[in-house]
Amino acid sequence: MEKEQEQEKAKKQNFRKEVRSWIVCIAVTLAITLFITNFVIVNASIPSGSMENTIMTGDKLIAFRTAYLFSEPKRGDVIIFKYPDDETEWYIKRVIALPGETIEVKDGKVYINKNKKPLKEPYIREEPVDDFGPYKVPDNGYFVMGDNRNSSNDAREWQTHYVTRDEIIGKASFRYYPSPKWIK
C-alpha cells in the first residue's frame, strides 16, 4: 500500500514537472517571438499596387529592422516607413534621392543633382506622366517613390516631400507569399 502511494506521488510530481516544462517552453517561445517581431523583422502585407511590378497587391513580405543599424539607406532600397504626413500609417516605397541631393522628374525621367543622364530604373512599371521639382532633399531626409509611378501616392504628392531617417522602420528584403522571392 505504501509503495502504491509513493508511485502515485511520483506520477503527480512527474506530471507537474511536465506541465511546468511546457509552460516555460511556451513562455520562452512567446518572448523570443515578441523580441524578433519588435526588434528584428517586420511582417508586412501589401495593400496597394504602388510598387507593382516589384511587389504586387496582396504580397506578404519580411523587412529587416536591423538593416540600417550600421549603415544608411541607399538609392534603390525598398523601405517600410512611417508615412510622414500621418505617422500612424506605414508605407512601402523605393529610395530615389538621398540626403542633400536635388531631384527632378522631367518627361518621365528622374534626374539627380541636375545630371544630364537620367537615373537608370529598370524596376519601374511605366514612365511617370507628370513632371516634378526640382526639389532639394533635406540633410535628414530621403525622397521615395513607388515603382508604379502613375498609381503611387509618394513623396511627389505629400505635404512633407521626404522621409526622415527616424521614420524608416526597415528594409524590405524577402517576399514569402505567394512565392518566395528576394526583393531588389
Side-chain angles (χ1 to χ4, degrees), residues 106-127:
K106 241 196 216 173
D107 300 324
K109 306 278 188 231
V110 174
Y111 296 89
I112 304 293
N113 293 332
K114 299 188 184 210
N115 195 326
K116 297 211 185 286
K117 287 185 174 182
L119 190 63
K120 289 184 180 178
E121 298 185 287
Y123 43 78
I124 65 170
R125 183 172 187 173
E126 58 193 16
E127 289 183 356

PDB file of all heavy atoms in Angstrom, residues 106-127:
ATOM      1  N   LYS A 106      11.446  64.908 -65.188  1.00  0.00           N
ATOM      2  CA  LYS A 106      11.157  65.650 -66.424  1.00  0.00           C
ATOM      3  C   LYS A 106      10.924  64.673 -67.552  1.00  0.00           C
ATOM      4  O   LYS A 106      11.747  63.782 -67.766  1.00  0.00           O
ATOM      5  CB  LYS A 106      12.375  66.506 -66.780  1.00  0.00           C
ATOM      6  CG  LYS A 106      12.139  67.977 -66.813  1.00  0.00           C
ATOM      7  CD  LYS A 106      13.323  68.554 -67.545  1.00  0.00           C
ATOM      8  CE  LYS A 106      13.766  69.860 -67.030  1.00  0.00           C
ATOM      9  NZ  LYS A 106      14.971  70.350 -67.606  1.00  0.00           N
ATOM     10  N   ASP A 107       9.813  64.838 -68.229  1.00  0.00           N
ATOM     11  CA  ASP A 107       9.489  63.972 -69.371  1.00  0.00           C
ATOM     12  C   ASP A 107       9.573  62.485 -69.004  1.00  0.00           C
ATOM     13  O   ASP A 107      10.072  61.667 -69.768  1.00  0.00           O
ATOM     14  CB  ASP A 107      10.406  64.273 -70.560  1.00  0.00           C
ATOM     15  CG  ASP A 107      10.279  65.707 -71.038  1.00  0.00           C
ATOM     16  OD1 ASP A 107       9.151  66.244 -70.998  1.00  0.00           O
ATOM     17  OD2 ASP A 107      11.308  66.298 -71.435  1.00  0.00           O
ATOM     18  N   GLY A 108       9.126  62.162 -67.791  1.00  0.00           N
ATOM     19  CA  GLY A 108       9.083  60.770 -67.372  1.00  0.00           C
ATOM     20  C   GLY A 108      10.403  60.203 -66.877  1.00  0.00           C
ATOM     21  O   GLY A 108      10.499  59.027 -66.565  1.00  0.00           O
ATOM     22  N   LYS A 109      11.437  61.009 -66.782  1.00  0.00           N
ATOM     23  CA  LYS A 109      12.757  60.550 -66.338  1.00  0.00           C
ATOM     24  C   LYS A 109      13.143  61.250 -65.037  1.00  0.00           C
ATOM     25  O   LYS A 109      12.804  62.411 -64.822  1.00  0.00           O
ATOM     26  CB  LYS A 109      13.821  60.863 -67.390  1.00  0.00           C
ATOM     27  CG  LYS A 109      13.522  60.336 -68.776  1.00  0.00           C
ATOM     28  CD  LYS A 109      13.909  58.905 -68.896  1.00  0.00           C
ATOM     29  CE  LYS A 109      13.792  58.455 -70.347  1.00  0.00           C
ATOM     30  NZ  LYS A 109      13.040  57.274 -70.523  1.00  0.00           N
ATOM     31  N   VAL A 110      13.877  60.526 -64.183  1.00  0.00           N
ATOM     32  CA  VAL A 110      14.344  61.077 -62.917  1.00  0.00           C
ATOM     33  C   VAL A 110      15.792  61.534 -63.080  1.00  0.00           C
ATOM     34  O   VAL A 110      16.639  60.782 -63.555  1.00  0.00           O
ATOM     35  CB  VAL A 110      14.243  60.025 -61.786  1.00  0.00           C
ATOM     36  CG1 VAL A 110      14.869  60.543 -60.503  1.00  0.00           C
ATOM     37  CG2 VAL A 110      12.803  59.621 -61.568  1.00  0.00           C
ATOM     38  N   TYR A 111      16.035  62.774 -62.648  1.00  0.00           N
ATOM     39  CA  TYR A 111      17.383  63.345 -62.690  1.00  0.00           C
ATOM     40  C   TYR A 111      17.802  63.708 -61.271  1.00  0.00           C
ATOM     41  O   TYR A 111      17.048  64.314 -60.527  1.00  0.00           O
ATOM     42  CB  TYR A 111      17.420  64.587 -63.582  1.00  0.00           C
ATOM     43  CG  TYR A 111      17.107  64.288 -65.017  1.00  0.00           C
ATOM     44  CD1 TYR A 111      15.798  64.309 -65.487  1.00  0.00           C
ATOM     45  CD2 TYR A 111      18.123  63.960 -65.909  1.00  0.00           C
ATOM     46  CE1 TYR A 111      15.504  64.009 -66.812  1.00  0.00           C
ATOM     47  CE2 TYR A 111      17.840  63.665 -67.243  1.00  0.00           C
ATOM     48  CZ  TYR A 111      16.530  63.693 -67.679  1.00  0.00           C
ATOM     49  OH  TYR A 111      16.234  63.397 -68.987  1.00  0.00           O
ATOM     50  N   ILE A 112      19.033  63.337 -60.925  1.00  0.00           N
ATOM     51  CA  ILE A 112      19.579  63.631 -59.605  1.00  0.00           C
ATOM     52  C   ILE A 112      20.705  64.643 -59.770  1.00  0.00           C
ATOM     53  O   ILE A 112      21.604  64.458 -60.597  1.00  0.00           O
ATOM     54  CB  ILE A 112      20.129  62.347 -58.918  1.00  0.00           C
ATOM     55  CG1 ILE A 112      19.051  61.265 -58.821  1.00  0.00           C
ATOM     56  CG2 ILE A 112      20.724  62.673 -57.553  1.00  0.00           C
ATOM     57  CD1 ILE A 112      17.893  61.571 -57.900  1.00  0.00           C
ATOM     58  N   ASN A 113      20.645  65.725 -58.990  1.00  0.00           N
ATOM     59  CA  ASN A 113      21.673  66.774 -58.981  1.00  0.00           C
ATOM     60  C   ASN A 113      21.950  67.339 -60.377  1.00  0.00           C
ATOM     61  O   ASN A 113      23.094  67.560 -60.751  1.00  0.00           O
ATOM     62  CB  ASN A 113      22.969  66.270 -58.343  1.00  0.00           C
ATOM     63  CG  ASN A 113      22.791  65.988 -56.875  1.00  0.00           C
ATOM     64  OD1 ASN A 113      21.959  66.585 -56.207  1.00  0.00           O
ATOM     65  ND2 ASN A 113      23.568  65.042 -56.355  1.00  0.00           N
ATOM     66  N   LYS A 114      20.892  67.539 -61.140  1.00  0.00           N
ATOM     67  CA  LYS A 114      20.967  68.137 -62.488  1.00  0.00           C
ATOM     68  C   LYS A 114      21.905  67.373 -63.430  1.00  0.00           C
ATOM     69  O   LYS A 114      22.465  67.935 -64.367  1.00  0.00           O
ATOM     70  CB  LYS A 114      21.368  69.610 -62.401  1.00  0.00           C
ATOM     71  CG  LYS A 114      20.364  70.408 -61.616  1.00  0.00           C
ATOM     72  CD  LYS A 114      20.616  71.871 -61.674  1.00  0.00           C
ATOM     73  CE  LYS A 114      19.604  72.524 -60.764  1.00  0.00           C
ATOM     74  NZ  LYS A 114      19.195  73.810 -61.083  1.00  0.00           N
ATOM     75  N   ASN A 115      22.064  66.086 -63.161  1.00  0.00           N
ATOM     76  CA  ASN A 115      22.864  65.230 -64.030  1.00  0.00           C
ATOM     77  C   ASN A 115      22.191  65.184 -65.405  1.00  0.00           C
ATOM     78  O   ASN A 115      20.974  65.154 -65.497  1.00  0.00           O
ATOM     79  CB  ASN A 115      22.938  63.821 -63.416  1.00  0.00           C
ATOM     80  CG  ASN A 115      24.017  62.972 -64.041  1.00  0.00           C
ATOM     81  OD1 ASN A 115      24.308  63.076 -65.224  1.00  0.00           O
ATOM     82  ND2 ASN A 115      24.589  62.114 -63.224  1.00  0.00           N
ATOM     83  N   LYS A 116      22.963  65.168 -66.459  1.00  0.00           N
ATOM     84  CA  LYS A 116      22.401  65.136 -67.812  1.00  0.00           C
ATOM     85  C   LYS A 116      21.801  63.774 -68.152  1.00  0.00           C
ATOM     86  O   LYS A 116      20.928  63.661 -68.982  1.00  0.00           O
ATOM     87  CB  LYS A 116      23.464  65.532 -68.833  1.00  0.00           C
ATOM     88  CG  LYS A 116      23.957  66.957 -68.626  1.00  0.00           C
ATOM     89  CD  LYS A 116      24.368  67.573 -69.923  1.00  0.00           C
ATOM     90  CE  LYS A 116      24.971  68.936 -69.714  1.00  0.00           C
ATOM     91  NZ  LYS A 116      24.036  69.961 -69.386  1.00  0.00           N
ATOM     92  N   LYS A 117      22.312  62.726 -67.489  1.00  0.00           N
ATOM     93  CA  LYS A 117      21.788  61.379 -67.713  1.00  0.00           C
ATOM     94  C   LYS A 117      20.728  61.064 -66.664  1.00  0.00           C
ATOM     95  O   LYS A 117      20.952  61.263 -65.476  1.00  0.00           O
ATOM     96  CB  LYS A 117      22.905  60.335 -67.619  1.00  0.00           C
ATOM     97  CG  LYS A 117      23.848  60.332 -68.788  1.00  0.00           C
ATOM     98  CD  LYS A 117      24.815  59.182 -68.633  1.00  0.00           C
ATOM     99  CE  LYS A 117      25.681  59.064 -69.851  1.00  0.00           C
ATOM    100  NZ  LYS A 117      26.599  57.918 -69.731  1.00  0.00           N
ATOM    101  N   PRO A 118      19.588  60.539 -67.101  1.00  0.00           N
ATOM    102  CA  PRO A 118      18.564  60.176 -66.117  1.00  0.00           C
ATOM    103  C   PRO A 118      18.986  58.940 -65.321  1.00  0.00           C
ATOM    104  O   PRO A 118      19.832  58.156 -65.745  1.00  0.00           O
ATOM    105  CB  PRO A 118      17.337  59.877 -66.976  1.00  0.00           C
ATOM    106  CG  PRO A 118      17.874  59.519 -68.312  1.00  0.00           C
ATOM    107  CD  PRO A 118      19.155  60.274 -68.477  1.00  0.00           C
ATOM    108  N   LEU A 119      18.372  58.800 -64.172  1.00  0.00           N
ATOM    109  CA  LEU A 119      18.587  57.638 -63.318  1.00  0.00           C
ATOM    110  C   LEU A 119      18.126  56.382 -64.044  1.00  0.00           C
ATOM    111  O   LEU A 119      17.053  56.368 -64.653  1.00  0.00           O
ATOM    112  CB  LEU A 119      17.775  57.835 -62.031  1.00  0.00           C
ATOM    113  CG  LEU A 119      17.998  56.884 -60.885  1.00  0.00           C
ATOM    114  CD1 LEU A 119      19.430  56.979 -60.362  1.00  0.00           C
ATOM    115  CD2 LEU A 119      17.021  57.212 -59.763  1.00  0.00           C
ATOM    116  N   LYS A 120      18.921  55.325 -64.001  1.00  0.00           N
ATOM    117  CA  LYS A 120      18.510  54.046 -64.593  1.00  0.00           C
ATOM    118  C   LYS A 120      17.569  53.366 -63.610  1.00  0.00           C
ATOM    119  O   LYS A 120      17.945  53.103 -62.473  1.00  0.00           O
ATOM    120  CB  LYS A 120      19.714  53.159 -64.878  1.00  0.00           C
ATOM    121  CG  LYS A 120      20.562  53.655 -66.012  1.00  0.00           C
ATOM    122  CD  LYS A 120      21.680  52.699 -66.312  1.00  0.00           C
ATOM    123  CE  LYS A 120      22.517  53.244 -67.461  1.00  0.00           C
ATOM    124  NZ  LYS A 120      23.640  52.385 -67.773  1.00  0.00           N
ATOM    125  N   GLU A 121      16.358  53.069 -64.083  1.00  0.00           N
ATOM    126  CA  GLU A 121      15.351  52.475 -63.221  1.00  0.00           C
ATOM    127  C   GLU A 121      14.655  51.305 -63.923  1.00  0.00           C
ATOM    128  O   GLU A 121      13.529  51.429 -64.382  1.00  0.00           O
ATOM    129  CB  GLU A 121      14.316  53.522 -62.823  1.00  0.00           C
ATOM    130  CG  GLU A 121      14.890  54.679 -62.042  1.00  0.00           C
ATOM    131  CD  GLU A 121      13.805  55.614 -61.588  1.00  0.00           C
ATOM    132  OE1 GLU A 121      13.249  56.337 -62.430  1.00  0.00           O
ATOM    133  OE2 GLU A 121      13.505  55.592 -60.375  1.00  0.00           O
ATOM    134  N   PRO A 122      15.316  50.157 -63.966  1.00  0.00           N
ATOM    135  CA  PRO A 122      14.720  49.002 -64.641  1.00  0.00           C
ATOM    136  C   PRO A 122      13.502  48.437 -63.913  1.00  0.00           C
ATOM    137  O   PRO A 122      12.760  47.647 -64.480  1.00  0.00           O
ATOM    138  CB  PRO A 122      15.866  47.982 -64.663  1.00  0.00           C
ATOM    139  CG  PRO A 122      16.743  48.368 -63.516  1.00  0.00           C
ATOM    140  CD  PRO A 122      16.627  49.866 -63.399  1.00  0.00           C
ATOM    141  N   TYR A 123      13.286  48.853 -62.689  1.00  0.00           N
ATOM    142  CA  TYR A 123      12.202  48.318 -61.862  1.00  0.00           C
ATOM    143  C   TYR A 123      10.869  49.036 -62.057  1.00  0.00           C
ATOM    144  O   TYR A 123       9.851  48.548 -61.594  1.00  0.00           O
ATOM    145  CB  TYR A 123      12.591  48.396 -60.379  1.00  0.00           C
ATOM    146  CG  TYR A 123      13.259  49.695 -60.002  1.00  0.00           C
ATOM    147  CD1 TYR A 123      12.525  50.859 -59.815  1.00  0.00           C
ATOM    148  CD2 TYR A 123      14.642  49.761 -59.872  1.00  0.00           C
ATOM    149  CE1 TYR A 123      13.140  52.053 -59.500  1.00  0.00           C
ATOM    150  CE2 TYR A 123      15.263  50.946 -59.556  1.00  0.00           C
ATOM    151  CZ  TYR A 123      14.515  52.095 -59.370  1.00  0.00           C
ATOM    152  OH  TYR A 123      15.132  53.276 -59.068  1.00  0.00           O
ATOM    153  N   ILE A 124      10.842  50.210 -62.716  1.00  0.00           N
ATOM    154  CA  ILE A 124       9.564  50.922 -62.798  1.00  0.00           C
ATOM    155  C   ILE A 124       8.622  50.256 -63.787  1.00  0.00           C
ATOM    156  O   ILE A 124       9.042  49.662 -64.778  1.00  0.00           O
ATOM    157  CB  ILE A 124       9.719  52.426 -63.132  1.00  0.00           C
ATOM    158  CG1 ILE A 124      10.304  52.664 -64.514  1.00  0.00           C
ATOM    159  CG2 ILE A 124      10.512  53.136 -62.064  1.00  0.00           C
ATOM    160  CD1 ILE A 124      10.250  54.109 -64.949  1.00  0.00           C
ATOM    161  N   ARG A 125       7.355  50.348 -63.467  1.00  0.00           N
ATOM    162  CA  ARG A 125       6.325  49.719 -64.291  1.00  0.00           C
ATOM    163  C   ARG A 125       6.142  50.492 -65.596  1.00  0.00           C
ATOM    164  O   ARG A 125       6.017  49.918 -66.662  1.00  0.00           O
ATOM    165  CB  ARG A 125       5.019  49.651 -63.511  1.00  0.00           C
ATOM    166  CG  ARG A 125       3.936  48.938 -64.277  1.00  0.00           C
ATOM    167  CD  ARG A 125       2.731  48.719 -63.426  1.00  0.00           C
ATOM    168  NE  ARG A 125       1.786  47.890 -64.159  1.00  0.00           N
ATOM    169  CZ  ARG A 125       0.702  47.411 -63.652  1.00  0.00           C
ATOM    170  NH1 ARG A 125       0.411  47.646 -62.397  1.00  0.00           N
ATOM    171  NH2 ARG A 125      -0.103  46.682 -64.370  1.00  0.00           N
ATOM    172  N   GLU A 126       6.068  51.819 -65.487  1.00  0.00           N
ATOM    173  CA  GLU A 126       5.934  52.681 -66.657  1.00  0.00           C
ATOM    174  C   GLU A 126       6.465  54.059 -66.295  1.00  0.00           C
ATOM    175  O   GLU A 126       6.530  54.413 -65.123  1.00  0.00           O
ATOM    176  CB  GLU A 126       4.471  52.770 -67.097  1.00  0.00           C
ATOM    177  CG  GLU A 126       3.546  53.295 -66.012  1.00  0.00           C
ATOM    178  CD  GLU A 126       2.072  53.098 -66.318  1.00  0.00           C
ATOM    179  OE1 GLU A 126       1.747  52.308 -67.207  1.00  0.00           O
ATOM    180  OE2 GLU A 126       1.265  53.746 -65.652  1.00  0.00           O
ATOM    181  N   GLU A 127       6.834  54.824 -67.291  1.00  0.00           N
ATOM    182  CA  GLU A 127       7.360  56.164 -67.031  1.00  0.00           C
ATOM    183  C   GLU A 127       6.263  57.063 -66.473  1.00  0.00           C
ATOM    184  O   GLU A 127       5.116  57.005 -66.910  1.00  0.00           O
ATOM    185  CB  GLU A 127       7.912  56.776 -68.322  1.00  0.00           C
ATOM    186  CG  GLU A 127       9.175  56.131 -68.798  1.00  0.00           C
ATOM    187  CD  GLU A 127       9.745  56.793 -70.033  1.00  0.00           C
ATOM    188  OE1 GLU A 127       9.117  57.730 -70.579  1.00  0.00           O
ATOM    189  OE2 GLU A 127      10.822  56.379 -70.458  1.00  0.00           O
TER     190      GLU A 127
END
